[in-house]
Amino acid sequence: MSNMNLPETMIEVVDLHKRFKDLHVLKGISTVVKHSEVVAVMGPSGSGKSTFLRCLNRLEEPTSGRIYIEGVDIMAPYIDINRVRTEIGMVFQSFNLFPHLTAIENIKLAPMNVRKISNKEATERGMALLEKVGLAEKATAYPEQLSGGQQQRVAIARALAMQPQIMFFDEPTSALDPEMIGEVLDVMRNMAKEGMTMMVVSHEMGFIREAADRILFLADGLIVEDGTPDQIFNHSKHKRTIEFLGKIL
Amino acid sequence: MAMSLALLIAYALFLLPDKESAIPVWFYSSISFFIVLILAYSGSILADREKPEALKMGVAFMLIAVLGWLFHRYSGAQWHRLADFFFNWEKLEGNWWILWEGLGVTLFLAFISGIGSVVVGLLIAVLRTLNSPTMNFFLKVYVDVFRSIPMIVVMVIFFFAMPFMGISLGSIVSTVLALSLGYGAYASECFRAGIESVHSGQLEAARSLGLSRWKTIYKIILPQAIPVVIPPLTGTLVAMLKDTAVASVVAAPELLKRARELYTSETNPTPLVAAALIYLAVLIPLVRAVNMLENRMQKKRNE
Ligand SMILES: Nc1ncnc2c1ncn2[C@@H]1O[C@H](COP(=O)(O)OP(=O)(O)OP(=O)(O)O)[C@@H](O)[C@H]1O
Ligand SMILES: [Mg+2]
C-alpha cells in the first residue's frame, strides 16, 4: 500500500541516549523506519528495548539525541507532545485497559476527548474496530470480564481508534497464556498486511519471521545488528545474537 | 457448665457481707476463694475456642454485672447524688431547643468545612501529581504543619491573632477556615494514597493516547482513586465533625458551646451530659457507616 501523501520515512532516530541517574541504558541509537515497515526489536532482558520505544513518544524523556516522527522533530522545545502521541498507538505487555470503563468506552475515550469527535461517530468507529479484532459482542464488557487475549485485542483497538500512523508493541503477548497468543498475533499480522508502520518488541519467532521486514537486535544499549529476519536468524555472525537466539529457541 | 457458673456466682453473692458489718478473716479468705474460682472458671470458658459465642457473650456480661455489683456495694458511690447532679433532666425542660440549635450550627460547620477540606485536599493531592520538587516541598510543609498543630491552636490563631494583623474573622469563619485547612491536610493524604493506588500503567496508557494531564487526572485517575479514597476520607470527615466541638473556644455557637452556656446558667452539668449523648447519637451511626465502607472496600480488594 503506497500513498503519495505520506512521507517515506516515518521515524528517524539519531544518536539517542538515555540515562537513569548512573545507569546508561541507551548509548547512541540511530535508525530509520520507513512507511509500512514492520520492525521487530529483540535483545536480552535489560538491554533497553522498552526504554527505546518509550523514548520515541517521550513517555520516557531522552537524555540526548534527535527523534523525527513523520519529519517532525519531537525534541524541539515547544512541540506539542500530546499531538505527536496521537500519531503513535502503543500496546503494552500488561494491556493497561482502563478498568472502570467498558471495552467500547475504553476505545471511545481518546477520540472523544482528544480528537473531539462526537459520541455517535466515536461509537460507530469503535464498534468497527471491535469488529475488526473480533470482539464486537464484548463491547459492553468490563476489562475484568475479558480474558487476557481479549483484553489485549481491545487494547489494540483502543490504540487504533486514534487512527495513528505508527503502532508500537512492547511485548504484547508475553503476559498471555499460550492459547491466546495466536489471536493477538493474528490481529497484528493483519495490521502489518494493511500497511501499518510497526515497531514490535517481541520474541515470537514465528510471527517475526513471517511479518517483520527487519530486526533490530539490541544489546547493552546499542543496536548490535540490523537486518532481515533471514539474515539475523540464519546467518548472524554476532556472538551476542547467536547466543541469545540459542537461548530463546 | 454455664449453669454451674451462674450457681457459683449466685452463691458467692449471697454470702457477701454488707459493707458495714464486721467480717471475720476466714470469711474474707473463703470469699476471695470463690472470686478466684469464678474468674478462673469464666476465664476458661472465654478462652475455649470450642464454646459457642453466645455462651461467651453471656459469661462476659455476667462478669461485668458481678464486678459492677461489687463496685456498687463496696465503693461507696453515691448514685442518687450522681443522678440528681448529672442526670437532672428537669434542668433541661424548655432548654432543649438551645441544644438543637447548637447541633444545627455544629452540622452546618461540619458540612461547610467538610466541603472545604475535600476541596483543599483534592487540590493538594492533584498538585502533587505534577511532581514539581519545589511545589512538593511547600505542599509537604503545609500538610505536615497542619497535621502537627492541634486544631484548637489553629482556631485560636485565626480568631484571636488575625485581628492584630487587621483581619477580623468571625468565630464561624475562623472555625470553617481552620477546619478546612487543617482537615484539608488530612484529606490530601487520603487522596494521595488513592491516587498512588492507581497502577502506573494506567497513566502510561493515557499519555500514550495523547490525553492531556488534566484529562488524565479527571477521566482516568480520579474515577479509579475515588472508590479507594471514600472510606478513609469519610473517616477523616467524621473526625472533623467531632472536632467542631473545639470551636467552642472561639465562641462559635455550636453544640458544646450552647451546652456550656446552659451548664453555667443552670449551674448543673446535665446539659453537658445531654450534649455528649447527642454527639454519640449522631456519630455512632456515622462511625458504623465508615466501618462498613471500609469492609466493603476490603472485600472488593480481596476479590
Ligand atoms: N524508570 C527507570 N528508572 C531507573 N532505571 C530504569 C527505569 N526504567 C528502566 N530502567 C533500567 O533500564 C534498563 C533497561 O530497561 P528496559 O525496560 O528498557 O529493558 P528491556 O530490554 O525492555 O528488558 P525486558 O526484556 O526485561 O523488558 C534496565 O536495567 C532497567 O532496570
Ligand atoms: Mg521491556
Side-chain angles (χ1 to χ4, degrees), chain A residues 20-21 23 25-26 43-52 54 60 93 170-171 201 203 218:
Chain A
F20 293 108
K21 301 229 168 65
L23 192 65
V25 178
L26 301 180
S45 180
S47 55
K49 306 179 297 291
S50 299
T51 307
F52 176 42
R54 292 157 53 78
E60 210 72 77
Q93 179 176 351
D170 191 355
E171 308 207 33
V201 176
H203 296 141
L218 256 65

Side-chain angles (χ1 to χ4, degrees), chain A residues 54 57-59 82 85-86 88 90 92 94 96-101 109-110 113-114 116 158-159 162, chain B residues 198-213 215-216 218-224 303:
Chain A
R54 292 157 53 78
N57 62 357
R58 282 178 58 185
L59 281 184
N82 283 331
R85 286 178 184 149
T86 62
I88 306 175
M90 193 148 184
F92 304 87
S94 49
N96 297 347
L97 288 180
F98 305 130
H100 60 297
L101 301 177
L109 182 88
N113 285 285
V114 181
K116 310 283 180 202
R158 176 178 71 178
M162 290 301 279
Chain B
V198 178
H199 197 270
S200 65
Q202 295 290 308
L203 212 74
E204 308 224 305
R207 289 167 72 203
S208 76
L209 287 166
L211 259 74
S212 68
R213 202 186 278 281
K215 277 267 155 66
T216 305
Y218 174 62
K219 293 277 183 188
I220 307 299
I221 299 186
L222 287 183
Q224 294 182 58
E303 261 169 22

Side-chain angles (χ1 to χ4, degrees), chain B:
Chain B
M1 181 111 183
M3 271 310 279
S4 51
L5 179 63
L7 281 176
L8 197 65
I9 292 173
Y11 184 55
L13 293 184
F14 172 73
L15 283 182
L16 275 179
D18 247 358
K19 190 170 146 234
E20 272 78 28
S21 58
I23 311 151
V25 172
W26 66 266
F27 199 88
Y28 261 128
S29 38
S30 63
I31 216 70
S32 326
F33 172 71
F34 266 117
I35 288 175
V36 168
L37 210 63
I38 289 169
L39 286 178
Y41 206 11
S42 29
S44 79
I45 291 181
L46 287 175
D48 192 341
R49 282 167 173 277
E50 311 283 293
K51 294 276 181 302
E53 288 305 313
L55 175 67
K56 288 188 192 173
M57 209 59 157
V59 168
F61 273 114
M62 200 143 71
L63 264 186
I64 291 171
V66 169
L67 291 176
W69 195 80
L70 285 174
F71 180 81
H72 166 67
R73 187 133 182 196
Y74 295 106
S75 70
Q78 296 170 310
W79 300 109
H80 296 296
R81 294 195 49 199
L82 195 73
D84 282 349
F85 204 50
F86 283 94
F87 296 93
N88 191 349
W89 301 115
E90 281 159 25
K91 294 278 187 190
L92 275 172
E93 251 161 51
N95 285 333
W96 280 106
W97 65 273
I98 295 183
L99 293 182
W100 298 136
E101 236 179 50
L103 177 62
V105 174
T106 289
L107 293 179
F108 172 78
L109 284 175
F111 184 68
I112 303 291
S113 318
I115 294 175
S117 33
V118 167
V119 169
V120 170
L122 190 56
L123 188 69
I124 294 176
V126 167
L127 286 179
R128 287 192 77 159
T129 64
L130 300 183
N131 277 330
S132 144
T134 310
M135 187 152 60
N136 276 3
F137 171 77
F138 287 104
L139 293 176
K140 260 187 228 156
V141 168
Y142 171 87
V143 170
D144 288 355
V145 164
F146 272 90
R147 288 202 303 167
S148 314
I149 308 183
M151 221 49 244
I152 194 165
V153 178
V154 182
M155 274 181 205
V156 166
I157 289 174
F158 275 118
F159 188 66
F160 294 111
M162 296 293 263
F164 288 99
M165 293 181 264
I167 305 167
S168 253
L169 305 166
S171 62
I172 296 276
V173 178
S174 307
T175 307
V176 167
L177 263 184
L179 288 176
S180 300
L181 294 179
Y183 277 89
Y186 288 102
S188 78
E189 291 294 290
C190 299
F191 278 113
R192 196 160 69 93
I195 288 173
E196 275 170 11
S197 77
V198 178
H199 197 270
S200 65
Q202 295 290 308
L203 212 74
E204 308 224 305
R207 289 167 72 203
S208 76
L209 287 166
L211 259 74
S212 68
R213 202 186 278 281
W214 300 115
K215 277 267 155 66
T216 305
I217 290 173
Y218 174 62
K219 293 277 183 188
I220 307 299
I221 299 186
L222 287 183
Q224 294 182 58
I226 297 294
V228 181
V229 168
I230 292 284
L233 184 66
T234 319
T236 303
L237 292 180
V238 169
M240 190 202 67
L241 170 59
K242 209 168 60 171
D243 240 6
T244 53
V246 174
S248 64
V249 300
V250 296
E254 46 72 61
L255 180 53
L256 182 60
K257 171 79 168 91
R258 301 307 294 272
R260 275 173 45 192
E261 282 170 16
L262 277 178
Y263 165 62
T264 317
S265 64
E266 302 288 323
T267 59
N268 180 287
T270 305
L272 293 179
V273 174
L277 292 177
I278 294 175
Y279 278 118
L280 264 181
V282 173
L283 283 161
I284 289 233
L286 289 178
V287 169
R288 284 278 88 220
V290 170
N291 214 295
M292 265 165 51
L293 283 175
E294 277 167 355
N295 287 345
R296 205 186 305 160
M297 194 66 221
Q298 195 63 45
K299 250 197 223 137
K300 245 194 182 164
R301 223 173 274 156
N302 292 344
E303 261 169 22

